[in-house]
Amino acid sequence: MSDERDSPIDFPSRYDRKIHVRDLRTGMYVTRLDRDWLETPFLLQGFLIHSANDVEEVAKYCEYVWVHNTEIPFAKDADMLSQRHASQNSNALFHVSTPIAEEHSIVRKLFSETSKYTQTMMEDVRLGRAIEEKKARVIVDKNVQSVMRNPDALAWMTKMRSEDSYTAEHSLSVCILALIFGRSLGFKEPQLSNLGLCGLLHDVGKIRVPIEILNKPSRLTDKEMKIMQAHAAHGRKLLSESKNMYEGAIDVAYCHHERPDGKGYPQGLPSEDISLFSKIISIVDSYDAMTCERVYAQAKPSTEALKIIYEERGKQFDENLALAFIQTIGLYPPGSIVELHNGCVGVVVETNVQSRHLPKVLIMRDEEKLPCTHRLVDLATTLAGELSSQYQIKTIQRDGYRNIYLRECFEKGYLTSL
Ligand SMILES: [Fe+2]
């Protein structure tokens, strides 16, 4: 296999040493693989070998890996974000305080409350009314609390779209995804409250863009593109006119289309002049736009959107944040409809931080693809042999596959009775 493979982790090469998988030992920190990380279940930011089982697992996918060279102090000058993210998997940041079914019960009400609020807020702006920061923050903070308790319930909700009022639904999803991302970056509640507000309000300027341009199914002309891009300036103006508006939200509304390579708009700022929150919202915004159905583009599967973010790292997106985001979302986010190797089909309801490719799945179709009694299966139990490895995920499918609809799961309360 090639040595020239792109590394998902760009620590300077002098920190890494290439070894054969048979030379891997407990305690070594793997920083790079000899194949595309997307083809493997491993953590993008690198991972520690805890046991012989871990070595076996790596050997299933790779012949060679790069490990951290312990003779050199670890990544003294490497980016803090990468280090923090890599070390988080074992700490309390991933602690979940509420069981998923319980959180889904809370989220059923919360999501519809937030959704109604967002649509009303957008309508108010359309009618020329100012946004009340306090009201928006109260709603955002309820979402912060939910994400802190168990992020998988709200994550699931971002997958459910009604295809009307795109801007309001998109704003809400960006708010939720930004909170989930911020939580995994180690942000505390006051920071999350600010970040969530930025997510909710980032595209408010689109209210000033004519609907024919927003919903145009074909390519925009240069003139139309300029009108569309003006939503950043409209957003800044609208939010500046709102009393006591959080400054960060004004900045993000104006700068969330800037790019680290300086090719963004409206100002073409260099990376160092783009705020952290703008860089975060830029990634989340693009991910959500790519993964949901729009009038001019089909929804991309999550993995494809993550791959694009990976390819655009350091260009359209901040490099370290892009990597951290990919890690946060993982291959099978909650709300993914998945088919297992044994033919069963179900929906991912809860992620497994230790083995992200083995989430908890609500099985809704049996081996013959026929409707069956719903049962929650923890795919991680395949590791210990409690469950056959045929229960591992084979593919991701679209909403509606084998008549499984996410909206139906929500409306019929399947997720609250797990
Ligand atoms: Fe935007």
Side-chain angles (χ1 to χ4, degrees):
M1 290 185 208
S2 165
D3 291 3
E4 304 302 320
R5 283 278 189 170
D6 251 2
S7 164
I9 313 143
D10 284 337
F11 289 130
S13 58
R14 65 194 165 93
Y15 292 126
D16 298 340
R17 140 173 90 93
K18 184 184 174 189
I19 61 167
H20 195 278
V21 170
R22 66 172 169 263
D23 297 322
L24 256 184
R25 298 285 178 271
T26 302
M28 285 181 172
Y29 192 88
V30 178
T31 59
R32 192 182 301 199
L33 309 174
D34 64 0
R35 59 187 289 174
D36 191 332
W37 68 272
L38 275 174
E39 297 163 16
T40 79
F42 303 118
L43 295 174
L44 178 65
Q45 262 66 34
F47 53 94
L48 191 67
I49 298 293
H50 291 284
S51 64
N53 283 348
D54 289 347
V55 177
E56 273 175 41
E57 194 61 18
V58 177
K60 284 184 197 165
Y61 297 90
C62 305
E63 194 179 349
Y64 290 94
V65 294
W66 281 254
V67 293
H68 166 58
N69 187 348
T70 48
E71 289 160 22
I72 299 169
F74 182 59
K76 211 168 63 190
D77 55 352
D79 190 87
M80 289 300 291
L81 261 177
S82 291
Q83 286 189 52
R84 184 168 53 175
H85 198 75
S87 65
Q88 273 172 8
N89 297 296
S90 57
N91 73 24
L93 279 176
F94 286 100
H95 176 70
V96 162
S97 64
T98 311
I100 190 70
E102 197 179 311
E103 195 57 42
H104 264 294
S105 306
I106 300 169
V107 153
R108 270 173 80 87
K109 260 174 79 184
L110 174 60
F111 187 73
S112 91
E113 184 189 356
T114 314
S115 184
K116 269 187 207 134
Y117 166 79
T118 312
Q119 297 209 14
T120 310
M121 183 263 291
M122 294 282 183
E123 199 44 46
D124 282 353
V125 174
R126 203 187 307 277
L127 296 172
R129 297 187 190 124
I131 297 166
E132 289 179 51
E133 201 250 33
K134 229 178 176 175
K135 257 189 180 175
R137 203 180 274 280
V138 167
I139 291 282
V140 167
D141 286 351
K142 288 184 188 179
N143 285 273
V144 170
Q145 295 308 320
S146 173
V147 164
M148 290 306 282
R149 288 189 299 263
N150 188 333
D152 286 346
L154 270 178
W156 198 94
M157 301 307 286
T158 65
K159 293 268 189 179
M160 214 176 57
R161 292 295 174 85
S162 59
E163 288 173 34
D164 54 328
S165 61
Y166 171 78
T167 302
E169 291 198 348
H170 170 66
S171 301
L172 175 52
S173 281
V174 170
C175 168
I176 293 169
L177 288 167
L179 293 178
I180 293 167
F181 187 24
R183 182 193 199 252
S184 82
L185 289 171
F187 290 177
K188 299 286 174 259
E189 288 175 39
Q191 288 170 291
L192 288 178
S193 173
N194 286 338
L195 180 63
L197 202 59
C198 292
L200 192 69
L201 300 175
H202 78 287
D203 255 353
V204 75
K206 283 198 176 158
I207 294 294
R208 293 278 175 269
V209 178
I211 197 88
E212 313 81 70
I213 294 181
L214 280 181
N215 288 343
K216 189 178 174 188
S218 53
R219 200 183 167 85
L220 297 181
T221 63
D222 288 352
K223 192 179 167 200
E224 288 166 338
M225 185 61 87
K226 279 201 176 115
I227 295 171
M228 172 67 106
Q229 292 185 344
H231 80 275
H234 289 311
R236 180 177 66 168
K237 186 166 183 294
L238 285 168
L239 295 181
S240 305
E241 287 165 357
S242 301
K243 246 195 207 164
N244 305 322
M245 180 53 68
Y246 165 55
E247 288 286 331
I250 302 173
D251 170 71
V252 168
Y254 193 47
C255 297
H256 67 278
H257 290 285
E258 297 291 351
R259 302 167 43 129
D261 62 6
K263 293 180 183 168
Y265 70 86
Q267 300 178 87
L269 294 175
S271 180
E272 59 272 23
D273 291 346
I274 309 170
S275 68
L276 173 65
F277 279 8
S278 286
K279 287 173 174 169
I280 289 175
I281 298 298
S282 163
I283 296 171
V284 176
D285 177 28
S286 299
Y287 172 78
D288 187 71
M290 286 191 275
T291 52
C292 100
E293 211 73 46
R294 287 165 295 167
V295 275
Y296 50 88
Q298 258 203 333
K300 285 185 174 41
S302 175
T303 41
E304 209 177 298
L306 293 181
K307 199 156 192 171
I308 291 170
I309 290 172
Y310 178 64
E311 284 160 3
E312 285 296 318
R313 71 199 193 283
K315 294 179 273 185
Q316 185 177 350
F317 307 115
D318 178 87
E319 176 133 21
N320 289 310
L321 288 172
L323 297 178
F325 181 72
I326 291 164
Q327 189 60 61
T328 301
I329 298 296
L331 293 180
Y332 310 116
S336 302
I337 291 175
V338 292
E339 184 168 343
L340 310 184
H341 281 283
N342 62 7
C344 291
V345 184
V347 57
V348 173
V349 291
E350 197 165 17
T351 46
N352 177 358
V353 174
Q354 299 303 324
S355 308
R356 295 186 73 92
H357 63 304
L358 299 170
K360 286 184 185 157
V361 174
L362 183 67
I363 304 282
M364 298 167 74
R365 299 290 179 269
D366 65 15
E367 287 86 345
E368 308 303 321
K369 307 279 190 300
L370 297 171
C372 60
T373 309
H374 297 173
R375 63 197 162 104
L376 186 66
V377 173
D378 182 354
L379 303 193
T381 57
T382 59
L383 284 179
E386 282 174 45
L387 209 60
S388 148
S389 60
Q390 288 294 301
Y391 272 89
Q392 295 194 2
I393 294 171
K394 187 178 166 197
T395 50
I396 285 203
Q397 300 288 354
R398 286 182 183 281
D399 191 24
Y401 180 70
R402 297 288 167 177
N403 281 327
I404 297 175
Y405 291 95
L406 297 177
R407 182 158 289 279
E408 193 179 322
C409 296
F410 171 71
E411 282 166 0
K412 294 197 172 166
Y414 296 160
L415 301 152
T416 55
S417 51
L418 297 169

